[in-house]
Amino acid sequence: MMKKLTLLFVEIIALVLLNPALAQTAAYTVIANPGENASTEIRLNWHTNTGSGDSYITYTKRADKNWKNAITVKADQALCTVFDSIYSKKPGGEDFYENARFIRNTIALLGLKPGTEYKYKLSSEKPSSENSFSVENGEIRYFKTAPENEKWTMGIISDMHVYPPIPGRQIAAMKMIRQLEKRNKKPFDMMLHVGDVAAWGGSYSFWSTLYADSTFSKYVWAGVNGNHDNMTRRYALSNEFFRNVNNNPVNGYAGETGVSYHFTYGNTLFIMLNSEAMRTDEGLAKAQDWTREVIKNNPARYIIVVEHYQWFMGGDGSSSQYSRWKELFDQCGVDLAISGNNHIYVRTNALYAGRETDGTKGTVYIQTPSSDNERGQSMGELLYNNDLIKSRWTEGNKTVGALIMKAGKKHLTLILYDRNGTPIDQVSVKSKPDKIYGNH
Ligand SMILES: [Fe+2]
């Protein structure tokens, strides 16, 4: 039975790959990312084959039934070769050098309405007039802008290490997202990931496989570059992989534009950092200078910093990136710090000056567990930071977990769930007092 199904699957894939019409015009590796102001700007990335000509996006509000008010815009195009001829593995396990030269299409949609669902189509031909745009023709995709008010909900996931020879990883992570949706009783406003989406970011098909997943493709995604996303099978390192499968805001610092970035989602400023660019003291200083500037220039009710590398080593609780960032977080009033990488969930209450506070001041540190049911880590006794670490969680190497973050006027609430949807841990992040926030 299994064998038959696999054969059928291979035949379907072959049909799709061999169909020249599909191959020529189809858009793939499609993703929606938030703009700097996610209430009014959404940025899209998709790829098309070289030689397939211009690419267009036609979009309108989801409620616009007959696409009456649809707008068509031509995408910006650039040849992308960063994934080409990289040594990798096929889904069947054979070694190969992957051919991946394609056109990267990008567009920033501006002037959108906050808290609104939009639909869009990608096509290689410009519809002759807006009215003649055929609704039947081509896949309809969706995105949602950030609400302007204080209320929104996001799912948070990391470390899925998508690897087509072991499809179970992606399946486990996507199932986890659907479990979160069930707990939330509706889809999220947006999804956040904390890196290590791909096992080898240089392997193009790892990204295209994930992005084609119906659970993944229905969301606007904001994520950070993980060490796995940043490497090839042969450990060639580059932030180009992450950059070219996203269209993030280009407000980052030199060398990291489109990789490190910031965006405002309703009442919250998100600062998304590339851990790989902060391994040296010089790299860290550059990232921190930029972070300080961004916080100064973008007052928000909540300030959230996201990076891949863990705050604490989950195994024994010893300090990791926490030591390098705590001073800045204290000085700049960062409310929540999110990381991943360690594959062990670790969480503190609000900390300020190295001590737990009553929550009116300080930063809550949280690091996500892995979600691939395969590359998890087990933990030992908590030997360090007993006074700071309030919760740890892992299921050993077969760990699957993720979080829901809900925002309100008074606090952010984060809940960790396991694969069965059982709540494991919860923390509340207090809002800045109105008088501070209101001054800006
Ligand atoms: Fe990881």
Side-chain angles (χ1 to χ4, degrees):
M1 179 66 182
M2 214 40 215
K3 222 175 186 178
K4 256 192 187 163
L5 272 177
T6 313
L7 251 175
L8 183 72
F9 184 67
V10 169
E11 277 165 25
I12 291 170
I13 294 289
L15 255 173
V16 172
L17 289 177
L18 294 174
N19 185 325
L22 270 177
Q24 268 204 354
T25 56
Y28 43 90
T29 322
V30 184
I31 191 167
N33 301 124
E36 184 171 308
N37 177 350
S39 293
T40 56
E41 178 185 358
I42 294 289
R43 305 172 64 87
L44 292 131
N45 168 87
W46 69 94
H47 300 152
T48 49
N49 285 352
T50 52
S52 60
D54 292 338
S55 198
Y56 296 88
I57 178 169
T58 302
Y59 69 100
T60 185
K61 284 180 192 160
R62 188 170 185 154
D64 179 11
K65 240 181 153 190
N66 300 315
W67 296 75
K68 246 178 84 187
N69 302 311
I71 298 169
T72 297
V73 195
K74 194 162 105 178
D76 293 322
Q77 295 193 315
L79 178 68
C80 179
T81 60
V82 302
F83 298 94
D84 198 25
S85 303
I86 285 181
Y87 187 54
S88 186
K89 255 186 201 294
K90 287 186 180 174
E94 311 115 85
D95 300 326
F96 80 131
Y97 291 87
E98 186 169 1
N99 291 325
R101 283 168 78 84
F102 50 78
I103 300 298
R104 180 188 179 208
N105 300 274
T106 52
I107 191 93
L109 303 179
L110 303 162
L112 301 171
K113 201 174 166 228
T116 304
E117 280 192 84
Y118 284 82
K119 58 184 175 185
Y120 68 100
K121 284 189 186 187
L122 305 173
S123 59
S124 58
E125 272 164 54
K126 191 182 170 139
S128 51
S129 85
E130 247 100 82
N131 288 335
S132 75
F133 186 73
S134 160
V135 186
E136 290 81 37
N137 183 19
E139 186 179 348
I140 301 172
R141 301 166 198 271
Y142 303 90
F143 64 77
K144 191 180 175 192
T145 53
E148 227 166 11
N149 62 29
E150 311 278 353
K151 282 191 180 166
W152 48 258
T153 312
M154 282 181 199
I156 311 176
I157 196 162
S158 82
D159 295 279
M160 54 183 91
H161 314 105
V162 164
Y163 184 60
I166 308 174
R169 292 186 186 177
Q170 181 177 320
I171 291 168
M174 294 302 112
K175 226 172 154 179
M176 185 68 231
I177 294 175
R178 293 195 298 275
Q179 186 64 263
L180 291 181
E181 287 168 347
K182 234 190 259 173
R183 301 305 307 188
N184 192 46
K185 300 195 177 72
K186 57 177 186 187
F188 298 107
D189 291 306
M190 198 191 95
M191 282 296 300
L192 198 66
H193 80 71
V194 199
D196 278 6
V197 156
W200 301 322
S203 290
Y204 182 68
S205 50
F206 294 17
W207 298 101
S208 54
T209 305
L210 174 67
Y211 283 24
D213 197 297
S214 58
T215 302
F216 188 93
S217 64
K218 70 188 215 202
Y219 285 114
V220 171
W221 281 88
V224 291
N225 190 28
N227 55 306
H228 277 266
D229 306 314
N230 198 64
M231 74 187 208
T232 67
R233 183 178 180 183
R234 288 190 162 140
Y235 292 98
L237 306 178
S238 174
N239 67 8
E240 289 291 354
F241 310 135
F242 180 81
R243 178 180 287 119
N244 282 281
V245 294
N246 287 291
N247 183 18
N248 290 319
V250 286
N251 50 21
Y253 56 99
E256 298 303 320
T257 41
V259 179
S260 295
Y261 58 99
H262 64 89
F263 67 96
T264 298
Y265 200 88
N267 47 4
T268 302
L269 171 66
F270 284 84
I271 297 175
M272 312 294 282
L273 292 159
N274 176 14
S275 289
E276 296 307 300
M278 308 189 295
R279 297 175 74 116
T280 63
D281 289 346
E282 295 94 313
L284 182 68
K286 258 196 217 174
Q288 294 194 333
D289 288 349
W290 177 75
T291 302
R292 283 179 201 279
E293 273 304 299
V294 171
I295 292 174
K296 205 171 77 189
N297 298 332
N298 295 275
R301 182 177 289 282
Y302 303 104
I303 298 168
I304 301 180
V305 172
V306 186
E307 71 145 327
H308 182 61
Y309 284 153
Q310 65 280 322
W311 307 120
F312 300 95
M313 303 310 293
D316 61 8
S318 54
S319 297
S320 183
Q321 299 305 312
Y322 169 69
S323 319
R324 302 173 89 205
W325 281 94
K326 59 181 179 182
E327 215 179 292
L328 184 149
F329 291 168
D330 284 356
Q331 288 165 359
C332 298
V334 171
D335 301 287
L336 173 65
I338 302 174
S339 71
N341 185 59
N342 190 237
H343 304 180
I344 300 172
Y345 173 83
V346 175
R347 194 267 298 167
T348 71
N349 285 332
L351 307 180
Y352 185 83
R355 286 212 193 98
E356 191 177 297
T357 72
D358 65 357
T360 48
K361 197 173 188 182
T363 311
V364 169
Y365 293 79
I366 205 160
Q367 70 198 41
T368 47
S370 47
S371 60
D372 63 2
N373 203 33
E374 206 198 327
R375 290 179 55 92
Q377 301 285 332
S378 52
M379 60 186 185
E381 208 184 317
L382 185 62
L383 298 175
Y384 304 93
N385 294 313
N386 288 276
D387 50 337
L388 305 184
I389 294 173
K390 276 279 128 17
S391 172
R392 291 187 301 158
W393 180 80
T394 174
E395 297 172 310
N397 57 343
K398 287 189 179 300
T399 294
V400 182
L403 289 96
I404 295 178
M405 170 161 59
K406 264 190 207 302
K409 201 175 170 185
K410 297 226 165 91
H411 45 249
L412 299 172
T413 306
L414 291 99
I415 306 178
L416 168 72
Y417 290 95
D418 70 8
R419 77 188 76 199
N420 302 313
T422 310
I424 305 291
D425 186 48
Q426 174 168 344
V427 67
S428 178
V429 179
K430 273 193 194 163
S431 161
K432 290 184 176 53
D434 265 332
K435 59 174 191 280
I436 296 178
Y437 176 58
N439 276 344
H440 297 286

